[in-house]
Amino acid sequence: MFSEKCLQNQVAVITGGGTGLGKEIAKQYVLQGARVVICSRNPDHLAAGKEEIQSLGGEVLTYQVDVREPKSIEEMKDSIIEQWGRIDILVNNAAGNFIYPAEKLPLKGWKSVIDIVLNGSFYCSQIIGNWMIESNHGGQIINILATYAWTGGPGTIHSACAKAGVLAMTRTLAVEWARYGIRVNAVAPGPFDTEGARQRLWPTQEMQQAITREIPAGRFATPEEVARAILFLSSPYADYITGECLTIDGGAWLGKGIGKVVEHLEDFEKMRMAAKKSKHQS
Ligand code: NAP
C-alpha cells in the first residue's frame, strides 16, 4: 500500500492479536517494518498467531494478558519497555460478543462484555498512555468499534453500549492527549468473517446471507481490508487526524431505513414515466 516501510522501528501492541482482525493488523504492521506485541488470554491463540506473523519475517512478543486485569497489563508494559524500549501504537481490539435479547441478558454477560471492551480499553489506554506521556514519547491509540455504537443493534445491548463508551473515550482522550503528541482514533467495521465472529454472530449460512443482503456493497469486508484502513490511520499519512472514527462497512449503516429505497429506484423511475405518459394522454 505504501511505497516505503512507514512503521519502521515502531512497536505496536495489539490486544486480541492472536486471532481474527487483531492478527491481520499485526501482519499489516509487520509488513510496514513494525515490531509487534500480541496479547490475549489463550496461549494457543498467541502461539498460532505468533507463528503466522513470524512467517512474514516479523518480530513478535506474546503475553498472556486478560485486559480486565490492570496488573497483567502493567506487567506486560514493563516487560516490553525492558526488552524493546518503546511503545508507539496501542490497538484496543480485544472483545467478547454474543447475540442476546436485552430483557433476558444475564447480568454476568453484560458485565463481562463491558469489562472486556469498555474497561479493558481504558485500562490499556491509561497504562500505556501514561508511559507515552511520562517518557515524552507520544504515540497513538486505535480503538475497534462497530457501527451499532451509534445505530444500536438488536441483540447487542452489551456490546453496543460498550462500543459507544469507547467512541466517547476515543474523542475525549484525543482532546486531552493531543498536547502529549498522542493521536487517538477509532474504526467501525461492518461485518467481516472471522472464526470468532462466525461462531457467535452468524453461525448459519442463512444468517450470513441475511446480513449480506443489508450491505449495499453486497458482501462482507475481508479482515485484510479492515486492517489496511487501520494501517492508514496508524501511519504518518494520518499524522493530523485525531478523535476520528473511520467507518469501513460497504455503506451498510447509511443503507439502513430509507436507504433501502435503493433497491426500488427503478420502480420509482417506472412510476414517473407512467405518470408522465398519462399526463400527455389527458
Ligand atoms: P476474534 O478473533 O474473536 O477476536 C477477539 C480477540 O479478543 C481474541 O483474540 C480473544 O483472544 C481476545 N480477547 C477476548 N477477551 C479477552 C480478554 N478478556 N483479554 C484479552 N483478550 C481477550 O474476533 P474478531 O472478529 O477478529 O473481532 C476483533 C474486533 O473487531 C473486536 O473488537 C470486534 O468487536 C470488532 N468487530 C468485529 C466485527 C466482525 O464482523 N467480525 C465487526 C465489527 C467489529 P483470547 O480468547 O485468547 O483471549
Side-chain angles (χ1 to χ4, degrees):
M1 178 167 138
F2 298 114
S3 54
E4 80 274 26
K5 293 205 164 188
C6 64
L7 298 182
Q8 195 75 53
N9 297 324
Q10 296 204 11
V11 171
V13 178
I14 303 148
T15 69
T19 67
L21 178 62
K23 183 175 65 183
E24 197 56 47
I25 299 167
K27 285 161 67 180
Q28 293 294 328
Y29 282 175
V30 154
L31 290 172
Q32 291 301 322
R35 290 172 285 174
V36 295
V37 178
I38 56 174
C39 64
S40 76
R41 299 160 305 174
N42 184 334
D44 294 341
H45 288 164
L46 295 172
K50 180 175 180 174
E51 203 181 319
E52 206 174 314
I53 299 160
Q54 275 179 331
S55 73
L56 298 174
E59 281 186 71
V60 191
L61 295 177
T62 62
Y63 291 90
Q64 204 175 344
V65 163
D66 187 327
V67 293
R68 293 170 290 189
E69 301 294 338
K71 191 163 171 284
S72 69
I73 304 165
E74 192 80 50
E75 285 168 1
M76 172 178 71
K77 182 263 295 172
D78 289 343
S79 167
I80 299 167
I81 297 306
E82 201 182 307
Q83 292 188 68
W84 283 353
R86 61 193 289 165
I87 300 173
D88 301 273
I89 304 171
L90 163 67
V91 183
N92 286 311
N93 164 78
N97 197 7
F98 49 90
I99 303 288
Y100 225 96
E103 71 278 14
K104 295 193 179 116
L105 178 67
L107 294 186
K108 205 171 144 212
W110 165 266
K111 190 171 177 321
S112 172
V113 171
I114 298 288
D115 268 351
I116 298 170
V117 175
L118 181 57
N119 295 338
S121 297
F122 182 65
Y123 300 153
C124 291
S125 299
Q126 193 188 48
I127 289 165
I128 291 177
N130 259 319
W131 179 82
M132 290 171 174
I133 293 168
E134 284 159 16
S135 61
N136 213 15
H137 184 82
Q140 51 169 311
I141 299 173
I142 308 267
N143 294 320
I144 313 298
L145 308 179
T147 55
Y148 54 58
W150 59 88
T151 63
T156 65
I157 185 80
H158 40 344
S159 182
C161 291
K163 298 282 191 190
V166 180
L167 177 59
M169 190 189 304
T170 303
R171 291 173 172 158
T172 304
L173 291 181
V175 175
E176 277 199 37
W177 290 356
R179 64 195 157 143
Y180 301 122
I182 300 174
R183 294 195 294 120
V184 187
N185 288 298
V187 296
F192 55 89
D193 198 38
T194 62
E195 204 181 313
R198 198 179 319 130
Q199 278 170 9
R200 295 184 305 258
L201 305 177
W202 45 82
T204 67
Q205 267 209 332
E206 292 74 41
M207 288 182 190
Q208 188 160 353
Q209 282 162 359
I211 297 168
T212 307
R213 280 197 294 276
E214 300 290 309
I215 305 172
R219 63 172 179 85
F220 280 24
T222 64
E224 192 184 5
E225 285 171 321
V226 179
R228 281 183 176 170
I230 293 165
L231 173 61
F232 161 71
L233 268 186
S234 323
S235 76
Y237 296 93
D239 260 353
Y240 202 58
I241 301 176
T242 196
E244 188 52 69
C245 175
L246 179 60
T247 299
I248 313 154
D249 74 342
W253 88 270
L254 293 169
K256 287 191 175 199
I258 191 77
K260 290 214 180 71
V261 162
V262 76
E263 288 160 21
H264 301 284
L265 284 181
E266 281 166 14
D267 300 338
F268 278 88
E269 187 58 18
K270 279 182 205 150
M271 277 166 12
R272 259 196 303 274
M273 296 301 282
K276 216 170 163 185
K277 204 170 158 192
S278 76
K279 202 173 159 193
H280 275 302
Q281 281 166 356
S282 60

